[in-house]
Amino acid sequence: MSNPLHPTKIAPRQPATGEALVQHFERSPVGLILFGPDRSIVAANPATLELTGLSSAILHGAKLHRFLAAEAPERLEARIFDEVDETGRWMEQMDVRTSIADASPVMMSITLVGRAEHPAAVRYVGTIIELGQQRWIENESSRRAAELAALSALTVATGSSHDPAAMLRAAAQVIVEGLEVDACWIHRYEESGRKELALAGASSYLHPTLHLSPRMKPDAVNPGVLRAIETREQVITSELLDRSIATLVHAPLLAAGDVVGVVSILSVEGEKLATHNSELLRAVSYQLGTAIQNIRLLEAITEHQAQLEAKNEELEHLVEELRVADRLKSEFLATTSHELRTPLNSIIGFMSLVLDGVCKNEAEQQELLEHALRSAKHLLELINNVLDLARIEAGRVPFDIRDVPLQRLLREVGDTLEVQARDKDLEFWISPGPADIQVRVDEVRLRQVLMNVVGNALKFTSRGHVAIAVDTPVGAPFVEITVEDTGVGIDPERRERLFKKFSQADASTTRRFGGSGLGLVIVRELLEGMGGAIRIESEGEGKGMTATITVPRSGMTDEDSPSATAG
Ligand code: ADP
């Protein structure tokens, strides 16, 4: 059996050079073929065998057209060799048939060597350089580069935004553009309950009507998604899209061992997704999973921060309230003790005078004791009012709110105070309004209010009249009781002070009229506690005063309460 590669068959004249050429023939990565004068193959090197996938036994004696991928390979072969015979050489890019491909691009050259008259010798030498492989390597490396670029763009997209929605939208777009696919949808589990996947980002070149359900229950709509979640592996499905079949890959998004969502990538050219190896998709889904995890953390932190801020604000508010309450309490204590000390000092003073025996006679002693008694009564009134106010402010006064007939209540108050009016020779009128008018109040507390306000009117009026009237505006949810007098009145600028604790219109008032300066404060607190209000009007000193008390009318709702309307 003849071996075409045996050195004796192509014996060179100088053995050393021949040996080197044989080694080159054996080891060259370029395919080398030797042809005899009859244009049939004498020998082919291992690179040629690898390239064509044919054995040396088949190649030996075969003609070139045997593996030319052309329409008329025999004619092409004749043309090639004719050209070589004529010009000594030929080189062209063409397709050859190999065991794995019908047409694989190569660069082929054939050179004329030896002498035509030597029948056994080599007449032509051919070289074959595989171009397909070259191109495949180029394609592969540029594809890898594109994938890396896409991945790094994704890293930038998922790392740069603090807005989760914008970030996932950008990620979907980067995937579509970077991987040159047709659509990408990113679904993430909703925080509440983790039952539903919600569309968090999408980018698509497809017709807008073609999209995955924005809200997919994994157990119902898309089996591919369900499988990806269950198996934690990529799931490839084929989807009928118009008249073509698209490839859809679902990849679970994992973060800290948890499935946090699914990325679905669709390509109309199915092989595009097949060429992107699963490693790349794994990297993409890892990147997205981490991004979603970061979003969750960010959302949790933001929410936590908002809660903390709200709590802080609440606390600050509370601290401020406490501070104010504390200051008021201290002020109240200081003023109260001062106010209590005044009558107490008077009592001590008068009693000391009596005990020291400074009185000339019994009548003088009697007078001093009467002063002491008046101071003691004033002290008692003060203490009662202070306790009353403290209880109201602490919210310890329960209001027993019921429907109370206003006319009856006003008559009772009038009957009680009429004596005072008569004593001072004042006219005292009551217009108690319609008989059926009822107010929703605590009867005892409203009586206390009226006694105080009407009592004040009588106290501060020495001439003229005190008049009580009832106004029931049609449809209004409240009733107005006005107490008008022709007494000392009050300066407009001092009017507001009347509702301050222990404040009387002026310091001489106590001396002239007695009183604690707490009456109106208690009145206002009581009215507000029942959903009512009070306002005071006076045109000035000596011009009398009108107090208007507003209370809820029976049969009205809370929202209509007068405190909202009366000032
Ligand atoms: P007091 O217990 O001292 O009467 P009030 O709070 O009831 O305390 O009243 C505070 C002050 O308001 C009174 O001292 C007085 O100066 C003024 N005042 C109250 N009612 C009238 C009125 N009808 N006319 C004039 N001044 C009034």
Side-chain angles (χ1 to χ4, degrees):
M1 202 194 118
S2 67
N3 183 348
L5 297 178
H6 199 278
T8 52
K9 290 278 160 88
I10 49 167
R13 240 164 266 165
Q14 289 169 340
T17 316
E19 190 64 29
L21 281 175
V22 169
Q23 277 178 14
H24 170 69
F25 186 84
E26 286 292 327
R27 295 176 191 166
S28 171
V30 174
L32 295 171
I33 309 173
L34 309 180
F35 296 90
D38 63 346
R39 299 177 175 178
S40 66
I41 294 172
V42 176
N45 73 343
T48 308
L49 304 186
E50 200 176 312
L51 191 149
T52 58
L54 301 173
S55 69
S56 68
I58 290 177
L59 279 174
H60 185 64
K63 289 290 182 78
L64 178 64
H65 70 253
R66 173 89 167 68
F67 50 94
L68 287 182
E71 270 189 20
E74 281 158 0
R75 231 183 304 141
L76 179 61
E77 182 200 298
R79 179 175 70 74
I80 292 169
F81 281 103
D82 288 351
E83 194 180 322
V84 176
D85 284 340
E86 202 174 308
T87 65
R89 63 188 180 186
W90 164 91
M91 183 163 83
E92 225 168 77
Q93 183 185 323
M94 55 176 41
D95 290 336
V96 294
R97 230 195 302 274
T98 67
S99 62
I100 47 167
D102 283 346
S104 178
V106 296
M107 182 58 81
M108 192 184 284
S109 72
I110 295 176
T111 322
L112 188 66
V113 295
R115 279 176 300 217
E117 61 275 12
H118 200 309
V122 171
R123 180 72 177 140
Y124 308 93
V125 175
T127 63
I128 305 177
I129 299 170
E130 201 178 6
L131 291 180
Q133 192 160 6
Q134 178 72 14
R135 230 174 282 159
W136 184 83
I137 289 168
E138 276 168 17
N139 285 349
E140 183 65 6
S141 61
S142 68
R143 188 174 65 80
R144 283 282 160 112
E147 285 177 1
L148 277 177
L151 258 186
S152 79
L154 186 62
T155 311
V156 172
T158 52
S160 61
S161 174
H162 290 295
D163 172 6
M167 187 258 267
L168 289 176
R169 268 200 310 274
Q173 199 175 341
V174 163
I175 290 172
V176 166
E177 282 166 13
L179 305 189
E180 293 179 344
V181 291
D182 296 285
C184 170
W185 298 274
I186 300 168
H187 286 83
R188 64 178 283 211
Y189 271 114
E190 304 217 306
E191 279 307 283
S192 50
R194 289 181 51 84
K195 287 264 158 54
E196 282 190 4
L197 288 166
L199 185 64
S203 179
S204 170
Y205 288 127
L206 301 173
H207 191 270
T209 54
L210 290 167
H211 55 76
L212 297 186
S213 154
R215 223 164 259 273
M216 297 187 293
K217 283 207 174 76
D219 53 341
V221 179
N222 202 313
V225 171
L226 175 65
R227 210 141 29 91
I229 289 169
E230 266 178 1
T231 60
R232 297 180 167 222
E233 292 290 340
Q234 290 168 21
V235 171
I236 303 180
T237 60
S238 295
E239 306 281 321
L240 194 63
L241 212 80
D242 282 343
R243 250 162 273 137
S244 56
I245 293 197
T247 305
L248 183 58
V249 178
H250 304 282
L253 305 181
L254 300 167
D258 252 3
V259 180
V260 292
V262 176
V263 58
S264 305
I265 301 172
L266 182 137
S267 174
V268 178
E269 289 171 68
E271 72 272 18
K272 207 160 239 166
L273 272 178
T275 54
H276 287 302
N277 55 46
S278 58
E279 281 312 310
L280 174 77
L281 293 184
R282 221 184 297 282
V284 165
S285 51
Y286 173 77
Q287 187 71 38
L288 283 175
T290 311
I292 288 179
Q293 181 75 351
N294 287 344
I295 289 177
R296 279 188 181 181
L297 285 176
L298 193 72
E299 283 171 348
I301 289 171
T302 316
E303 199 190 311
H304 195 64
Q305 205 165 329
Q307 277 174 359
L308 274 181
E309 270 165 25
K311 260 263 147 11
N312 235 16
E313 222 164 87
E314 214 172 276
L315 277 178
E316 267 170 28
H317 199 68
L318 209 69
V319 166
E320 186 51 34
E321 268 179 10
L322 281 176
R323 222 177 267 146
V324 169
D326 194 53
R327 206 188 58 231
L328 287 179
K329 200 179 87 186
S330 310
E331 276 174 18
F332 184 69
L333 263 178
T335 337
T336 308
S337 34
H338 173 76
E339 294 296 324
L340 294 180
R341 212 181 292 132
T342 314
L344 202 53
N345 280 337
S346 304
I347 296 168
I348 294 169
F350 293 131
M351 299 301 255
S352 304
L353 287 177
V354 172
L355 288 175
D356 289 351
V358 285
C359 298
K360 288 183 205 107
N361 51 40
E362 207 165 304
E364 215 172 298
Q365 188 174 331
Q366 177 76 17
E367 199 186 324
L368 285 177
L369 286 175
E370 273 172 14
H371 277 310
L373 181 64
R374 223 174 299 134
S375 291
K377 279 184 177 167
H378 177 53
L379 185 61
L380 181 64
E381 189 194 344
L382 260 180
I383 292 172
N384 280 340
N385 277 346
V386 166
L387 291 178
D388 216 7
L389 188 60
R391 277 174 51 229
I392 296 170
E393 286 187 337
R396 287 209 305 272
V397 170
F399 289 98
D400 181 17
I401 306 284
R402 292 164 193 271
D403 291 336
V404 177
L406 187 59
Q407 208 175 63
R408 173 176 57 74
L409 185 64
L410 287 176
R411 283 201 197 289
E412 282 168 14
V413 171
D415 288 348
T416 316
L417 295 175
E418 205 179 8
V419 197
Q420 283 183 35
R422 220 180 305 134
D423 284 352
K424 293 181 82 175
D425 216 8
L426 295 173
E427 286 185 70
F428 189 42
W429 307 317
I430 300 181
S431 322
D436 59 343
I437 288 292
Q438 305 218 61
V439 286
R440 266 199 84 68
V441 291
D442 180 322
E443 184 173 346
V444 175
R445 293 303 175 177
L446 185 57
R447 183 180 292 112
Q448 188 182 344
V449 165
L450 289 168
M451 289 294 285
N452 192 298
V453 174
V454 181
N456 270 353
L458 289 167
K459 188 160 73 174
F460 292 105
T461 306
S462 50
R463 258 198 324 267
H465 67 260
V466 169
I468 305 172
V470 170
D471 189 14
T472 53
V474 182
F478 54 87
V479 172
E480 282 185 344
I481 306 159
T482 53
V483 180
E484 183 219 322
D485 66 57
T486 53
V488 297
I490 190 162
D491 264 353
E493 65 262 28
R494 285 195 292 184
R495 208 175 49 194
E496 269 314 299
R497 277 191 19 219
L498 297 187
F499 293 100
K500 293 218 174 90
K501 285 163 200 161
F502 301 112
S503 85
Q504 296 179 322
D506 68 72
S508 65
T509 308
T510 319
R511 261 169 278 135
R512 278 166 60 209
F513 302 100
S516 64
L518 287 175
L520 285 177
V521 184
I522 294 174
V523 160
R524 190 162 70 172
E525 293 275 346
L526 287 177
L527 282 171
E528 284 176 359
M530 296 188 288
I534 182 168
R535 97 179 161 260
I536 297 246
E537 279 147 319
S538 172
E539 286 185 4
E541 231 169 296
K543 298 207 172 132
M545 194 171 102
T546 302
T548 306
I549 293 163
T550 321
V551 282
R553 194 171 164 170
S554 296
M556 302 294 174
T557 56
D558 275 357
E559 298 96 72
D560 311 318
S561 78
S563 54
T565 51

